[in-house]
Amino acid sequence: MEAQKNTKKYWALCFTWVVILVALLILHREFFWLALPGVFTYFVKAMDLI
């Protein structure tokens, strides 16, 4: 039987990156794309796809 992974840490990191993304959209629009890898990476890890 496959053990379930604890993904709470990855969800917390994903939402942290979303907050950073929104802050960059408000404050420095030209740099918002710098937060995209963090958002997508931790979202995929939280969904347990990789």
Side-chain angles (χ1 to χ4, degrees), residues 7-20 38-39 42-43 45-46:
T7 59
K8 290 179 184 178
K9 176 179 74 169
Y10 294 130
W11 280 115
L13 286 169
C14 178
F15 288 125
T16 302
W17 276 105
V18 168
V19 169
I20 293 170
V39 172
Y42 288 113
F43 178 73
K45 284 188 167 216

Side-chain angles (χ1 to χ4, degrees), residues 2-49:
E2 190 175 326
Q4 286 187 328
K5 294 182 181 178
N6 189 359
T7 59
K8 290 179 184 178
K9 176 179 74 169
Y10 294 130
W11 280 115
L13 286 169
C14 178
F15 288 125
T16 302
W17 276 105
V18 168
V19 169
I20 293 170
L21 179 76
V22 170
L24 284 172
L25 275 171
I26 293 169
L27 300 173
H28 299 286
R29 284 187 182 237
E30 63 273 11
F31 294 122
F32 91 96
W33 59 272
L34 292 173
L36 288 176
V39 172
F40 291 131
T41 299
Y42 288 113
F43 178 73
V44 169
K45 284 188 167 216
M47 294 293 291
D48 200 24
L49 297 175

